Amino acid sequence: MSARARSCNCKEKTMNLDQIIEATSVMPVMVVDRPEDAVPLARALVEGGIRVLEITLRTAAGLDAVKAIRREVPDAIVGVGTIATPAQLEASIAAGAQFGVSPGTTPTLLKAIVDSRLPFFPGVATTSEVMQVLEGGLTVMKFFPAVAAGGVKMLESFRGPFPQVRFCPTGGINAQNAPDFFKLPNVVCVGGSWLTPKDLVAAGNWAEITRLAREAAALKP
Ligand code: 3PG
């Protein structure tokens, strides 16, 4: 491996949002507690056909996990989730994020997202938040927390006033209810933590995670 690749000067493999959406069906929301789990976990998901990964900033290991996966798992498309501030956005880009995800959207964060040009799924849960993100010119959004905020019915209702908006619902989604979301024409992917249960990660049960990934990858029609 070249020194450049090792230091993760991750300009290579830049993807636009449409390419990322094209490669996504279920986006695992990954919470990495132990840095050494990052690469085997990502490999297990990719092995099961899930390539687009969201690594959250909920743990101290998040950004190092992004760097390691970018370096060691070339087939993965690596995003950073739980981005809530411009500083976190900047740190994510420096770590090699190929896209970003936020749980909600503030005017300050929206401006930073637009200025950065990083492919991004800004979080929304209400009509006013959808309108705010549209003001920034972005039309693909994370709908969070999907089930608690109204689920399938809410997304159906969004179609009337916002026919141009596509969503990645996340929060309360699993293998059982995901097919209901995939039936909606304004849903491009779904996200969830069910592919990476804490107990399986702690036990290093990568084979079972690959099985869950394979099952999830088959959910989108
Ligand atoms: C997220 O940050 O997107 C959610 O915590 C994922 O929700 P889930 O754990 O209900 O899948």
mmCIF file of all heavy atoms in Angstrom, residues 134-177:
data_model
loop_
_atom_site.group_PDB
_atom_site.id
_atom_site.type_symbol
_atom_site.label_atom_id
_atom_site.label_comp_id
_atom_site.label_asym_id
_atom_site.label_seq_id
_atom_site.Cartn_x
_atom_site.Cartn_y
_atom_site.Cartn_z
ATOM 1 N N LEU A 134 -34.614 22.525 1.873
ATOM 2 C CA LEU A 134 -34.828 22.872 0.464
ATOM 3 C C LEU A 134 -34.262 24.253 0.148
ATOM 4 O O LEU A 134 -33.762 24.501 -0.950
ATOM 5 C CB LEU A 134 -36.328 22.842 0.130
ATOM 6 C CG LEU A 134 -36.935 21.445 -0.062
ATOM 7 C CD1 LEU A 134 -38.453 21.535 -0.228
ATOM 8 C CD2 LEU A 134 -36.310 20.758 -1.280
ATOM 9 N N GLU A 135 -34.327 25.155 1.123
ATOM 10 C CA GLU A 135 -33.759 26.499 0.917
ATOM 11 C C GLU A 135 -32.258 26.430 0.649
ATOM 12 O O GLU A 135 -31.696 27.315 0.020
ATOM 13 C CB GLU A 135 -34.034 27.393 2.132
ATOM 14 C CG GLU A 135 -35.474 27.875 2.169
ATOM 15 C CD GLU A 135 -35.817 28.691 3.421
ATOM 16 O OE1 GLU A 135 -34.913 28.988 4.230
ATOM 17 O OE2 GLU A 135 -36.999 29.014 3.575
ATOM 18 N N GLY A 136 -31.613 25.368 1.137
ATOM 19 C CA GLY A 136 -30.181 25.170 0.872
ATOM 20 C C GLY A 136 -29.935 24.457 -0.451
ATOM 21 O O GLY A 136 -28.792 24.201 -0.809
ATOM 22 N N GLY A 137 -31.015 24.074 -1.142
ATOM 23 C CA GLY A 137 -30.883 23.444 -2.453
ATOM 24 C C GLY A 137 -30.692 21.937 -2.389
ATOM 25 O O GLY A 137 -30.384 21.298 -3.391
ATOM 26 N N LEU A 138 -30.890 21.330 -1.215
ATOM 27 C CA LEU A 138 -30.707 19.874 -1.081
ATOM 28 C C LEU A 138 -32.070 19.192 -1.111
ATOM 29 O O LEU A 138 -33.016 19.645 -0.462
ATOM 30 C CB LEU A 138 -29.991 19.544 0.233
ATOM 31 C CG LEU A 138 -28.662 20.264 0.484
ATOM 32 C CD1 LEU A 138 -28.028 19.773 1.778
ATOM 33 C CD2 LEU A 138 -27.694 20.067 -0.665
ATOM 34 N N THR A 139 -32.156 18.080 -1.839
ATOM 35 C CA THR A 139 -33.459 17.430 -2.011
ATOM 36 C C THR A 139 -33.468 15.969 -1.525
ATOM 37 O O THR A 139 -34.466 15.270 -1.704
ATOM 38 C CB THR A 139 -33.907 17.463 -3.490
ATOM 39 O OG1 THR A 139 -32.885 16.870 -4.278
ATOM 40 C CG2 THR A 139 -34.167 18.889 -3.960
ATOM 41 N N VAL A 140 -32.370 15.496 -0.969
ATOM 42 C CA VAL A 140 -32.355 14.154 -0.375
ATOM 43 C C VAL A 140 -32.099 14.323 1.119
ATOM 44 O O VAL A 140 -31.150 15.005 1.507
ATOM 45 C CB VAL A 140 -31.275 13.256 -1.016
ATOM 46 C CG1 VAL A 140 -31.286 11.873 -0.365
ATOM 47 C CG2 VAL A 140 -31.508 13.133 -2.512
ATOM 48 N N MET A 141 -32.951 13.741 1.959
ATOM 49 C CA MET A 141 -32.878 14.007 3.399
ATOM 50 C C MET A 141 -33.046 12.721 4.191
ATOM 51 O O MET A 141 -33.706 11.788 3.748
ATOM 52 C CB MET A 141 -34.007 14.978 3.799
ATOM 53 C CG MET A 141 -34.003 16.240 2.957
ATOM 54 S SD MET A 141 -35.363 17.364 3.314
ATOM 55 C CE MET A 141 -35.295 18.408 1.835
ATOM 56 N N LYS A 142 -32.442 12.718 5.373
ATOM 57 C CA LYS A 142 -32.702 11.622 6.317
ATOM 58 C C LYS A 142 -33.979 11.997 7.076
ATOM 59 O O LYS A 142 -34.109 13.123 7.560
ATOM 60 C CB LYS A 142 -31.518 11.515 7.278
ATOM 61 C CG LYS A 142 -31.797 10.694 8.536
ATOM 62 C CD LYS A 142 -30.516 10.408 9.300
ATOM 63 C CE LYS A 142 -30.812 9.894 10.709
ATOM 64 N NZ LYS A 142 -29.673 9.180 11.303
ATOM 65 N N PHE A 143 -34.924 11.071 7.165
ATOM 66 C CA PHE A 143 -36.137 11.304 7.954
ATOM 67 C C PHE A 143 -35.931 10.591 9.282
ATOM 68 O O PHE A 143 -35.868 9.359 9.337
ATOM 69 C CB PHE A 143 -37.350 10.751 7.213
ATOM 70 C CG PHE A 143 -38.646 10.841 7.976
ATOM 71 C CD1 PHE A 143 -39.043 12.029 8.584
ATOM 72 C CD2 PHE A 143 -39.480 9.739 8.069
ATOM 73 C CE1 PHE A 143 -40.233 12.104 9.292
ATOM 74 C CE2 PHE A 143 -40.679 9.801 8.757
ATOM 75 C CZ PHE A 143 -41.055 10.986 9.379
ATOM 76 N N PHE A 144 -35.773 11.380 10.348
ATOM 77 C CA PHE A 144 -35.395 10.829 11.651
ATOM 78 C C PHE A 144 -36.131 11.561 12.766
ATOM 79 O O PHE A 144 -36.243 12.791 12.723
ATOM 80 C CB PHE A 144 -33.887 10.972 11.854
ATOM 81 C CG PHE A 144 -33.420 10.502 13.209
ATOM 82 C CD1 PHE A 144 -33.244 9.141 13.460
ATOM 83 C CD2 PHE A 144 -33.184 11.409 14.238
ATOM 84 C CE1 PHE A 144 -32.825 8.703 14.714
ATOM 85 C CE2 PHE A 144 -32.776 10.970 15.492
ATOM 86 C CZ PHE A 144 -32.596 9.618 15.729
ATOM 87 N N PRO A 145 -36.584 10.856 13.813
ATOM 88 C CA PRO A 145 -36.629 9.399 13.976
ATOM 89 C C PRO A 145 -37.872 8.834 13.277
ATOM 90 O O PRO A 145 -39.002 9.133 13.661
ATOM 91 C CB PRO A 145 -36.719 9.231 15.491
ATOM 92 C CG PRO A 145 -37.384 10.488 15.988
ATOM 93 C CD PRO A 145 -37.077 11.582 15.003
ATOM 94 N N ALA A 146 -37.641 8.056 12.225
ATOM 95 C CA ALA A 146 -38.683 7.738 11.250
ATOM 96 C C ALA A 146 -39.972 7.197 11.855
ATOM 97 O O ALA A 146 -41.055 7.736 11.605
ATOM 98 C CB ALA A 146 -38.128 6.753 10.217
ATOM 99 N N VAL A 147 -39.878 6.145 12.635
ATOM 100 C CA VAL A 147 -41.117 5.525 13.136
ATOM 101 C C VAL A 147 -41.784 6.441 14.166
ATOM 102 O O VAL A 147 -42.982 6.706 14.095
ATOM 103 C CB VAL A 147 -40.825 4.116 13.699
ATOM 104 C CG1 VAL A 147 -42.036 3.557 14.429
ATOM 105 C CG2 VAL A 147 -40.418 3.180 12.555
ATOM 106 N N ALA A 148 -40.989 6.985 15.081
ATOM 107 C CA ALA A 148 -41.555 7.854 16.124
ATOM 108 C C ALA A 148 -42.137 9.138 15.540
ATOM 109 O O ALA A 148 -43.089 9.704 16.088
ATOM 110 C CB ALA A 148 -40.466 8.188 17.148
ATOM 111 N N ALA A 149 -41.592 9.604 14.419
ATOM 112 C CA ALA A 149 -42.053 10.881 13.843
ATOM 113 C C ALA A 149 -43.202 10.708 12.850
ATOM 114 O O ALA A 149 -43.577 11.668 12.184
ATOM 115 C CB ALA A 149 -40.884 11.596 13.170
ATOM 116 N N GLY A 150 -43.750 9.508 12.748
ATOM 117 C CA GLY A 150 -44.917 9.339 11.880
ATOM 118 C C GLY A 150 -44.780 8.279 10.809
ATOM 119 O O GLY A 150 -45.745 7.978 10.099
ATOM 120 N N GLY A 151 -43.585 7.726 10.654
ATOM 121 C CA GLY A 151 -43.376 6.557 9.802
ATOM 122 C C GLY A 151 -43.864 6.712 8.367
ATOM 123 O O GLY A 151 -43.760 7.781 7.754
ATOM 124 N N VAL A 152 -44.418 5.614 7.860
ATOM 125 C CA VAL A 152 -44.858 5.542 6.471
ATOM 126 C C VAL A 152 -45.915 6.615 6.169
ATOM 127 O O VAL A 152 -45.869 7.276 5.123
ATOM 128 C CB VAL A 152 -45.420 4.117 6.194
ATOM 129 C CG1 VAL A 152 -46.222 4.074 4.907
ATOM 130 C CG2 VAL A 152 -44.272 3.103 6.151
ATOM 131 N N LYS A 153 -46.842 6.820 7.076
ATOM 132 C CA LYS A 153 -47.926 7.801 6.852
ATOM 133 C C LYS A 153 -47.367 9.215 6.694
ATOM 134 O O LYS A 153 -47.827 10.001 5.866
ATOM 135 C CB LYS A 153 -48.919 7.770 8.018
ATOM 136 C CG LYS A 153 -49.889 6.615 7.963
ATOM 137 C CD LYS A 153 -51.048 6.881 8.931
ATOM 138 C CE LYS A 153 -52.270 6.040 8.656
ATOM 139 N NZ LYS A 153 -52.043 4.638 8.475
ATOM 140 N N MET A 154 -46.398 9.547 7.508
ATOM 141 C CA MET A 154 -45.790 10.876 7.425
ATOM 142 C C MET A 154 -45.103 11.059 6.068
ATOM 143 O O MET A 154 -45.250 12.101 5.421
ATOM 144 C CB MET A 154 -44.785 11.038 8.566
ATOM 145 C CG MET A 154 -44.181 12.395 8.673
ATOM 146 S SD MET A 154 -45.307 13.559 9.452
ATOM 147 C CE MET A 154 -44.135 14.752 10.079
ATOM 148 N N LEU A 155 -44.351 10.049 5.634
ATOM 149 C CA LEU A 155 -43.654 10.166 4.350
ATOM 150 C C LEU A 155 -44.638 10.238 3.191
ATOM 151 O O LEU A 155 -44.407 10.961 2.214
ATOM 152 C CB LEU A 155 -42.681 8.989 4.167
ATOM 153 C CG LEU A 155 -41.427 9.068 5.034
ATOM 154 C CD1 LEU A 155 -40.622 7.782 4.940
ATOM 155 C CD2 LEU A 155 -40.553 10.249 4.609
ATOM 156 N N GLU A 156 -45.759 9.513 3.303
ATOM 157 C CA GLU A 156 -46.798 9.628 2.265
ATOM 158 C C GLU A 156 -47.332 11.055 2.228
ATOM 159 O O GLU A 156 -47.564 11.630 1.167
ATOM 160 C CB GLU A 156 -47.947 8.657 2.561
ATOM 161 C CG GLU A 156 -47.716 7.288 1.978
ATOM 162 C CD GLU A 156 -48.756 6.267 2.435
ATOM 163 O OE1 GLU A 156 -49.499 6.545 3.404
ATOM 164 O OE2 GLU A 156 -48.796 5.190 1.816
ATOM 165 N N SER A 157 -47.522 11.637 3.432
ATOM 166 C CA SER A 157 -48.047 13.003 3.499
ATOM 167 C C SER A 157 -47.054 14.019 2.929
ATOM 168 O O SER A 157 -47.452 15.018 2.354
ATOM 169 C CB SER A 157 -48.366 13.382 4.950
ATOM 170 O OG SER A 157 -49.272 12.464 5.498
ATOM 171 N N PHE A 158 -45.759 13.763 3.097
ATOM 172 C CA PHE A 158 -44.745 14.688 2.565
ATOM 173 C C PHE A 158 -44.780 14.740 1.029
ATOM 174 O O PHE A 158 -44.320 15.714 0.434
ATOM 175 C CB PHE A 158 -43.332 14.237 2.987
ATOM 176 C CG PHE A 158 -42.928 14.629 4.395
ATOM 177 C CD1 PHE A 158 -41.805 14.043 4.984
ATOM 178 C CD2 PHE A 158 -43.622 15.569 5.138
ATOM 179 C CE1 PHE A 158 -41.389 14.395 6.272
ATOM 180 C CE2 PHE A 158 -43.220 15.926 6.430
ATOM 181 C CZ PHE A 158 -42.104 15.337 6.994
ATOM 182 N N ARG A 159 -45.283 13.675 0.400
ATOM 183 C CA ARG A 159 -45.237 13.616 -1.067
ATOM 184 C C ARG A 159 -46.038 14.730 -1.717
ATOM 185 O O ARG A 159 -45.679 15.229 -2.783
ATOM 186 C CB ARG A 159 -45.765 12.272 -1.577
ATOM 187 C CG ARG A 159 -44.760 11.170 -1.487
ATOM 188 C CD ARG A 159 -45.299 9.883 -2.058
ATOM 189 N NE ARG A 159 -45.520 9.969 -3.489
ATOM 190 C CZ ARG A 159 -46.385 9.224 -4.179
ATOM 191 N NH1 ARG A 159 -47.127 8.339 -3.546
ATOM 192 N NH2 ARG A 159 -46.508 9.363 -5.469
ATOM 193 N N GLY A 160 -47.155 15.140 -1.086
ATOM 194 C CA GLY A 160 -48.002 16.189 -1.664
ATOM 195 C C GLY A 160 -47.243 17.503 -1.822
ATOM 196 O O GLY A 160 -46.977 17.958 -2.947
ATOM 197 N N PRO A 161 -46.812 18.116 -0.700
ATOM 198 C CA PRO A 161 -46.133 19.415 -0.829
ATOM 199 C C PRO A 161 -44.690 19.319 -1.332
ATOM 200 O O PRO A 161 -44.157 20.311 -1.829
ATOM 201 C CB PRO A 161 -46.153 19.954 0.610
ATOM 202 C CG PRO A 161 -46.315 18.768 1.497
ATOM 203 C CD PRO A 161 -47.092 17.755 0.704
ATOM 204 N N PHE A 162 -44.075 18.145 -1.211
ATOM 205 C CA PHE A 162 -42.630 18.054 -1.535
ATOM 206 C C PHE A 162 -42.360 16.908 -2.526
ATOM 207 O O PHE A 162 -41.624 15.958 -2.209
ATOM 208 C CB PHE A 162 -41.813 17.809 -0.257
ATOM 209 C CG PHE A 162 -42.086 18.788 0.855
ATOM 210 C CD1 PHE A 162 -42.548 18.331 2.091
ATOM 211 C CD2 PHE A 162 -41.892 20.151 0.673
ATOM 212 C CE1 PHE A 162 -42.807 19.227 3.126
ATOM 213 C CE2 PHE A 162 -42.159 21.051 1.703
ATOM 214 C CZ PHE A 162 -42.614 20.595 2.930
ATOM 215 N N PRO A 163 -42.937 16.977 -3.725
ATOM 216 C CA PRO A 163 -42.752 15.845 -4.659
ATOM 217 C C PRO A 163 -41.306 15.655 -5.099
ATOM 218 O O PRO A 163 -40.938 14.581 -5.562
ATOM 219 C CB PRO A 163 -43.648 16.239 -5.850
ATOM 220 C CG PRO A 163 -43.780 17.725 -5.764
ATOM 221 C CD PRO A 163 -43.721 18.070 -4.304
ATOM 222 N N GLN A 164 -40.492 16.700 -4.956
ATOM 223 C CA GLN A 164 -39.092 16.631 -5.408
ATOM 224 C C GLN A 164 -38.163 16.047 -4.349
ATOM 225 O O GLN A 164 -36.987 15.802 -4.623
ATOM 226 C CB GLN A 164 -38.590 18.025 -5.809
ATOM 227 C CG GLN A 164 -38.290 19.002 -4.671
ATOM 228 C CD GLN A 164 -39.490 19.739 -4.092
ATOM 229 O OE1 GLN A 164 -40.525 19.134 -3.815
ATOM 230 N NE2 GLN A 164 -39.342 21.032 -3.871
ATOM 231 N N VAL A 165 -38.680 15.790 -3.146
ATOM 232 C CA VAL A 165 -37.787 15.363 -2.059
ATOM 233 C C VAL A 165 -37.783 13.839 -1.931
ATOM 234 O O VAL A 165 -38.833 13.195 -1.995
ATOM 235 C CB VAL A 165 -38.215 16.007 -0.718
ATOM 236 C CG1 VAL A 165 -37.278 15.552 0.413
ATOM 237 C CG2 VAL A 165 -38.189 17.535 -0.828
ATOM 238 N N ARG A 166 -36.575 13.289 -1.742
ATOM 239 C CA ARG A 166 -36.434 11.847 -1.490
ATOM 240 C C ARG A 166 -35.824 11.659 -0.102
ATOM 241 O O ARG A 166 -35.020 12.482 0.343
ATOM 242 C CB ARG A 166 -35.554 11.211 -2.568
ATOM 243 C CG ARG A 166 -36.211 11.273 -3.953
ATOM 244 C CD ARG A 166 -35.315 10.760 -5.038
ATOM 245 N NE ARG A 166 -34.160 11.609 -5.225
ATOM 246 C CZ ARG A 166 -33.041 11.221 -5.842
ATOM 247 N NH1 ARG A 166 -32.941 9.989 -6.321
ATOM 248 N NH2 ARG A 166 -32.024 12.044 -5.987
ATOM 249 N N PHE A 167 -36.215 10.561 0.536
ATOM 250 C CA PHE A 167 -35.859 10.379 1.940
ATOM 251 C C PHE A 167 -35.125 9.069 2.189
ATOM 252 O O PHE A 167 -35.363 8.059 1.516
ATOM 253 C CB PHE A 167 -37.124 10.377 2.806
ATOM 254 C CG PHE A 167 -37.861 11.694 2.807
ATOM 255 C CD1 PHE A 167 -38.907 11.924 1.925
ATOM 256 C CD2 PHE A 167 -37.499 12.719 3.682
ATOM 257 C CE1 PHE A 167 -39.587 13.135 1.904
ATOM 258 C CE2 PHE A 167 -38.170 13.931 3.680
ATOM 259 C CZ PHE A 167 -39.215 14.149 2.795
ATOM 260 N N CYS A 168 -34.288 9.102 3.240
ATOM 261 C CA CYS A 168 -33.709 7.883 3.809
ATOM 262 C C CYS A 168 -34.217 7.801 5.251
ATOM 263 O O CYS A 168 -33.609 8.371 6.160
ATOM 264 C CB CYS A 168 -32.185 7.955 3.766
ATOM 265 S SG CYS A 168 -31.442 6.399 4.318
ATOM 266 N N PRO A 169 -35.375 7.167 5.462
ATOM 267 C CA PRO A 169 -35.900 7.075 6.832
ATOM 268 C C PRO A 169 -35.007 6.198 7.709
ATOM 269 O O PRO A 169 -34.503 5.173 7.262
ATOM 270 C CB PRO A 169 -37.288 6.463 6.649
ATOM 271 C CG PRO A 169 -37.304 5.855 5.297
ATOM 272 C CD PRO A 169 -36.254 6.537 4.479
ATOM 273 N N THR A 170 -34.835 6.639 8.932
ATOM 274 C CA THR A 170 -33.977 5.936 9.904
ATOM 275 C C THR A 170 -34.537 6.166 11.300
ATOM 276 O O THR A 170 -35.022 7.257 11.599
ATOM 277 C CB THR A 170 -32.542 6.514 9.862
ATOM 278 O OG1 THR A 170 -32.074 6.498 8.526
ATOM 279 C CG2 THR A 170 -31.597 5.717 10.726
ATOM 280 N N GLY A 171 -34.437 5.127 12.148
ATOM 281 C CA GLY A 171 -34.941 5.264 13.518
ATOM 282 C C GLY A 171 -36.171 4.392 13.682
ATOM 283 O O GLY A 171 -37.248 4.739 13.200
ATOM 284 N N GLY A 172 -35.979 3.237 14.312
ATOM 285 C CA GLY A 172 -37.095 2.317 14.523
ATOM 286 C C GLY A 172 -37.362 1.402 13.337
ATOM 287 O O GLY A 172 -38.382 0.710 13.299
ATOM 288 N N ILE A 173 -36.445 1.376 12.374
ATOM 289 C CA ILE A 173 -36.648 0.517 11.192
ATOM 290 C C ILE A 173 -35.889 -0.787 11.381
ATOM 291 O O ILE A 173 -34.808 -0.818 11.973
ATOM 292 C CB ILE A 173 -36.232 1.263 9.917
ATOM 293 C CG1 ILE A 173 -37.130 2.504 9.798
ATOM 294 C CG2 ILE A 173 -36.346 0.371 8.686
ATOM 295 C CD1 ILE A 173 -36.964 3.295 8.546
ATOM 296 N N ASN A 174 -36.492 -1.862 10.886
ATOM 297 C CA ASN A 174 -35.872 -3.180 11.001
ATOM 298 C C ASN A 174 -36.285 -4.030 9.790
ATOM 299 O O ASN A 174 -37.004 -3.536 8.900
ATOM 300 C CB ASN A 174 -36.292 -3.853 12.321
ATOM 301 C CG ASN A 174 -37.803 -3.843 12.488
ATOM 302 O OD1 ASN A 174 -38.533 -4.151 11.541
ATOM 303 N ND2 ASN A 174 -38.286 -3.462 13.664
ATOM 304 N N ALA A 175 -35.833 -5.278 9.786
ATOM 305 C CA ALA A 175 -36.102 -6.138 8.617
ATOM 306 C C ALA A 175 -37.601 -6.365 8.416
ATOM 307 O O ALA A 175 -38.046 -6.634 7.299
ATOM 308 C CB ALA A 175 -35.373 -7.469 8.782
ATOM 309 N N GLN A 176 -38.378 -6.260 9.489
ATOM 310 C CA GLN A 176 -39.820 -6.499 9.386
ATOM 311 C C GLN A 176 -40.561 -5.314 8.747
ATOM 312 O O GLN A 176 -41.412 -5.491 7.891
ATOM 313 C CB GLN A 176 -40.430 -6.778 10.769
ATOM 314 C CG GLN A 176 -40.144 -8.169 11.315
ATOM 315 C CD GLN A 176 -38.666 -8.372 11.646
ATOM 316 O OE1 GLN A 176 -38.039 -7.548 12.314
ATOM 317 N NE2 GLN A 176 -38.095 -9.461 11.146
ATOM 318 N N ASN A 177 -40.250 -4.094 9.189
ATOM 319 C CA ASN A 177 -41.023 -2.949 8.659
ATOM 320 C C ASN A 177 -40.348 -2.237 7.478
ATOM 321 O O ASN A 177 -40.984 -1.414 6.805
ATOM 322 C CB ASN A 177 -41.372 -1.941 9.779
ATOM 323 C CG ASN A 177 -40.144 -1.335 10.448
ATOM 324 O OD1 ASN A 177 -39.039 -1.495 9.983
ATOM 325 N ND2 ASN A 177 -40.361 -0.621 11.549
#
